[in-house]
């Protein structure tokens, strides 16, 4: 019997650098190569120009009194300034606090106070959000907040101008006082229930994770990475920015927020070799009418992550976008984020049915959630990971940290997974999403994958709803292709009969235009279960809302 445990043996050593020191090495190697292209403004930077601007921002923040360990918040959609602040704070040893662009007033206020943000760099507005007004309203209740710098405003211009007058040698002196294990970033978890928690990450955590993501994607200085995923999340700032700058590659920002047409135009115009997205983004890109008219032949690889990846969507990404080496990554904010990744040489079947194998220098195991004992390969259990990528902890919340990181430093993810005989991992759902119907454990992911084969269904999510007879019953929420006539529970049952076990066939069907989502592309099943009670006229089951 082989246990569900694997360790990532690697001949490539971990980086011992700080982010600033690593950037300096890349600048020295590739000063004239592109590092950043912002499509919305047409601005672009070589590594040498980027390094100069990073230094100016760092010295400008220092003039505001920012020192090692101070928290600097950033609240903005994807833009060049976001990336400049990311590297500038790292050079100072300040802790960058990523603030979700979708946050409203009470969430903003919570994060500013919980992290003790001293300086906030912010957009003035974005979409329907008036950031400036929310900041003004929150500020009297945020005693730690001393300075607000609006991107594109006179405050930003003044900060950069002051910084350009400073002496970059000061940053070299500061650099010598920084360690790779220093906290450098606080990222708030999606907070699908209650207030979010601030995962605190070090240089070592995120620099190495970005580096090894890039290694497994085969990045070098010729690569150009299109990043439509948000910078405020690990997907953008680690798997995107740090993966690129640790390899001399270029980051292309297609738009401030995800726009499928803008993404495709950016890939074509900038000859991007890699494209990132959560599955819902790739579904939108594949459906965009401009897809067939653009030359996307430069695409080689990319990453699909953030939530489970539908098999049919993955096949189309390879066939229609030409991303033959596209990788599936699995992880979470608390692990910097990636723990497993498919490799370019993996078969199509591996890349559409698993999240790959263990990342270099990490350990993974799958355990019985009740006992903590590692289960045999082929049996489901909770996915756990250990190694350099595990966060330092939740910011100033040791009790909540202890709930997820055990005494042996294993991070307990709350995800259900199965490891096969070759060490490939499949994520089968969340422990809290598992449905128990009449004593049968049902994993919604299996049913969702089957529903994708229905000709009219473009996206599907399955949840458990209360049932007097069985305890729980299955409800499928589905998005239909344009022009589809609709779908009844009876029609779906007919499609499933003979192909799914009877107890896995959804009793209820709810057709929607979109699912309730977090900004990172994760479906909020907690909200779906709450809404389902009203839709079906049901009472909440004991212990579940």
């Amino acid at each position: 019997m082989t246990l569900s445990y694997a360790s990532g043996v690697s001949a490539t050593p971990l980086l011992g650098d700080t982010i600033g020191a690593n950037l300096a090495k890349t600048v020295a190697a590739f000063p004239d190569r592109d590092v950043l292209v912002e499509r919305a403004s047409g601005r672009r930077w070589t590594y040498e120009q980027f390094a100069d601007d990073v230094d100016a921002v760092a010295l400008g923040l220092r003039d505001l009194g920012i020192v090692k360990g101070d928290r600097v918040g950033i609240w903005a959609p994807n833009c060049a300034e976001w990336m400049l602040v990311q590297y500038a704070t790292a050079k100072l040893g300040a802790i960058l606090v990523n603030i979700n662009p979708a946050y409203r007033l009470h969430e903003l206020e919570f994060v500013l106070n919980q992290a003790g943000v001293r300086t906030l760099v912010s957009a003035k507005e974005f979409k329907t959000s008036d950031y400036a007004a929310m900041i003004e309203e929150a500020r009297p209740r945020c005693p730690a907040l001393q300075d607000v710098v609006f991107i594109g405003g006179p405050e930003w211009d003044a900060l950069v101008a002051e910084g350009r007058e400073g002496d970059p040698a000061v940053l070299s002196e500061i650099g010598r006082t920084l360690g790779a294990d220093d906290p450098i970033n606080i990222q708030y978890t999606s907070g699908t229930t209650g207030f979010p928690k601030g995962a605190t990450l070090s240089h070592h955590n995120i620099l190495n994770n970005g580096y090894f993501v890039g290694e497994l994607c085969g990045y070098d200085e010729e690569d150009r990475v299109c990043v439509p995923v948000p910078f405020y999340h690990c997907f953008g700032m680690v798997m995107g920015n740090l993966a690129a700058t640790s390899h001399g590659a270029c980051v292309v920002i297609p738009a401030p927020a995800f726009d499928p047409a803008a993404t495709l135009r950016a890939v074509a115009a900038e000859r991007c070799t890699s494209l990132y997205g959560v599955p819902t983004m790739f579904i939108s890109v594949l459906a965009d009418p401009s897809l067939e008219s653009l030359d996307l032949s430069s695409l080689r690889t990319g990453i699909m992550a953030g939530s489970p990846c539908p098999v049919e969507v993955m096949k189309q990404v390879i066939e229609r976008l030409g991303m033959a080496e596209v990788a599936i990554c699995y992880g979470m904010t608390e692990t910097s984020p990636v723990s497993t990744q498919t490799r370019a040489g993996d078969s199509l079947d591996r890349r559409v049915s698993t999240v790959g194998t263990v990342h270099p220098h990490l350990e993974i195991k799958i355990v019985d959630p009740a006992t903590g004992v590692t289960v045999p390969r082929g049996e489901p259990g909770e996915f756990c990971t250990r190694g350099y990528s595990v966060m330092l902890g939740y910011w100033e919340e040791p009790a909540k940290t202890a709930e997820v990181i055990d005494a042996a430093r294993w991070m307990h993810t709350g995800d259900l997974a199965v490891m096969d005989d070759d060490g490939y991992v499949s994520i089968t759902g969340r422990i809290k999403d598992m449905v128990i119907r009449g004593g049968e454990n049902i994993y919604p992911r299996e049913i969702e994958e089957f529903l994708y084969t229905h000709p009219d269904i473009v996206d599907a999510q399955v949840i458990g709803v209360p049932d007097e007879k069985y305890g729980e019953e299955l409800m499928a929420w589905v998005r239909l292709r344009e022009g589809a006539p609709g779908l009844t529970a009876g029609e779906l049952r007919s499609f499933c009969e003979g192909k799914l076990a009877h107890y896995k066939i959804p009793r209820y069907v709810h057709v929607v235009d979109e699912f309730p989502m977090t900004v990172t592309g994760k479906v909020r099943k907690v909200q779906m279960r709450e809404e389902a009670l009203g839709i079906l006229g049901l009472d909440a089951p004991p212990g579940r809302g």
Side-chain angles (χ1 to χ4, degrees):
M1 178 185 74
T2 306
L3 294 177
S4 298
Y5 169 88
S7 61
V9 177
S10 177
T12 304
L14 286 165
L15 302 174
D17 301 333
T18 61
I19 290 168
N22 183 262
L23 177 64
K25 289 178 181 177
T26 309
V27 172
F30 308 111
D32 298 324
R33 295 203 72 90
D34 285 349
V35 61
L36 175 59
V37 175
E38 185 187 68
R39 290 276 299 166
S41 66
R43 296 180 294 170
R44 56 184 63 227
W45 284 257
T46 64
Y47 269 93
E48 191 167 58
Q49 291 166 340
F50 182 74
D52 287 345
D53 283 358
V54 165
D55 284 358
V57 174
L59 289 166
L61 288 169
R62 183 175 173 274
D63 285 342
L64 291 180
I66 296 297
V67 298
K68 177 181 176 179
D70 283 346
R71 273 76 69 202
V72 176
I74 184 157
W75 195 25
N78 286 12
C79 60
E81 288 81 3
W82 208 112
M83 193 168 168
L84 289 168
V85 171
Q86 177 185 348
Y87 288 80
T89 49
K91 292 196 79 166
L92 288 174
I95 300 173
L96 183 69
V97 179
N98 302 7
I99 302 175
N100 185 327
Y103 274 0
R104 310 307 295 174
L105 176 64
H106 75 285
E107 296 158 316
L108 169 70
E109 197 173 310
F110 171 81
V111 166
L112 291 176
N113 284 322
Q114 205 277 327
V117 170
R118 175 174 170 154
T119 294
L120 175 62
V121 179
S122 176
K124 287 185 178 177
E125 60 187 9
F126 180 59
K127 293 186 176 177
T128 60
S129 295
D130 186 340
Y131 289 174
M134 281 189 272
I135 292 166
E136 185 177 0
E137 188 172 343
R139 199 166 182 174
R141 298 186 295 274
C142 298
L145 185 61
Q146 295 185 19
D147 295 289
V148 177
V149 177
F150 287 109
I151 293 169
E155 307 91 351
W156 176 264
D157 293 341
L159 180 139
V160 173
E162 285 288 323
R164 291 204 195 285
E165 297 297 315
D167 182 1
V170 171
L171 295 175
S172 298
E173 293 171 17
I174 292 171
R176 285 190 284 273
T177 71
L178 306 181
D181 293 320
D182 294 338
I184 199 66
N185 186 213
I186 298 174
Q187 298 203 24
Y188 282 85
T189 56
S190 298
T192 51
T193 55
F195 277 115
K197 300 180 291 291
T200 307
L201 305 169
S202 67
H203 296 267
H204 196 66
N205 288 151
I206 60 177
L207 175 59
N208 276 290
N209 206 258
Y211 176 69
F212 280 101
V213 164
E215 285 288 287
L216 297 188
C217 287
Y219 287 166
D220 62 20
E221 68 275 14
E222 300 290 336
D223 280 291
R224 301 174 73 79
V225 186
C226 185
V227 183
V229 295
F231 283 169
Y232 95 88
H233 186 259
C234 275
F235 202 168
M237 69 165 285
V238 178
M239 298 159 70
N241 299 350
L242 287 167
T245 61
S246 59
H247 289 89
C250 177
V251 172
V252 176
I253 306 173
F258 175 64
D259 176 318
T263 298
L264 287 166
R265 288 194 299 269
V267 169
E270 294 296 331
R271 308 301 295 156
C272 293
T273 58
S274 179
L275 173 61
Y276 288 4
V278 299
T280 50
M281 289 181 175
F282 279 105
I283 290 169
S284 297
V285 164
L286 290 164
D288 193 87
S290 67
L291 173 61
E292 305 303 334
S293 64
L294 292 168
D295 178 6
L296 307 176
S297 60
S298 57
L299 279 175
R300 166 182 68 81
T301 187
I303 294 172
M304 196 189 297
S307 58
C309 305
V311 172
E312 293 304 314
V313 174
M314 182 67 166
K315 288 177 179 175
Q316 286 194 54
V317 165
I318 293 171
E319 291 167 8
R320 297 179 63 206
L321 297 180
M323 294 166 59
E325 298 175 20
V326 64
I328 295 287
C329 289
Y330 162 77
M332 61 193 306
T333 304
E334 290 89 337
T335 56
S336 303
V338 177
S339 295
T340 68
Q341 184 171 342
T342 59
R343 274 60 166 176
D346 284 340
S347 67
L348 176 61
D349 182 60
R350 292 286 197 203
R351 285 188 282 151
V352 298
S353 62
T354 78
V355 291
T357 53
V358 62
H359 232 238
H361 300 288
L362 296 179
E363 298 173 273
I364 60 173
K365 66 177 179 178
I366 295 168
V367 304
D368 182 315
T371 65
V373 174
T374 305
V375 300
R377 293 199 178 188
E379 291 190 14
E382 183 181 19
F383 183 96
C384 300
T385 186
R386 178 168 71 178
Y388 78 83
S389 71
V390 175
M391 66 176 178
L392 301 178
Y394 293 123
W395 182 257
E396 295 188 341
E397 295 195 273
K400 289 184 177 177
T401 302
E403 289 173 9
V404 295
I405 300 177
D406 66 26
R409 288 290 296 171
W410 285 98
M411 176 76 203
H412 291 252
T413 66
D415 284 323
L416 288 164
V418 177
M419 184 184 293
D420 70 15
D421 288 338
D422 296 317
Y424 285 82
V425 175
S426 299
I427 303 297
T428 57
R430 295 285 291 168
I431 290 173
K432 65 184 180 186
D433 290 340
M434 186 176 74
V435 178
I436 304 174
R437 180 192 181 277
E440 296 276 7
N441 289 353
I442 301 172
Y443 302 100
R445 187 70 205 139
E446 175 191 356
I447 302 164
E448 289 161 1
E449 286 287 2
F450 174 73
L451 295 182
Y452 281 114
T453 67
H454 189 290
D456 288 343
I457 293 176
V458 295
D459 208 349
Q461 299 291 330
V462 173
I463 58 173
V465 296
D467 184 77
E468 284 188 14
K469 182 176 181 180
Y470 294 107
E472 285 189 285
E473 264 291 7
L474 295 174
M475 180 183 189
W477 289 40
V478 297
R479 288 177 52 222
L480 301 180
R481 66 172 174 81
E482 195 170 338
L487 187 68
T488 67
E491 290 165 343
L492 188 66
R493 190 176 305 114
S494 297
F495 179 76
C496 296
E497 281 175 349
K499 300 169 188 170
L500 285 179
H502 70 91
Y503 63 87
K504 295 180 183 177
I505 297 175
R507 180 175 174 182
Y508 306 104
V509 173
H510 180 49
V511 177
V512 295
D513 293 327
E514 57 185 23
F515 303 119
M517 309 279 275
T518 68
V519 76
T520 55
K522 293 182 181 177
V523 175
R524 299 188 76 243
K525 286 195 172 182
V526 170
Q527 183 178 335
M528 289 170 60
R529 284 192 287 266
E530 291 170 354
E531 292 182 13
L533 299 178
I535 293 166
L536 302 174
L538 300 172
D539 294 322
R544 194 162 195 176

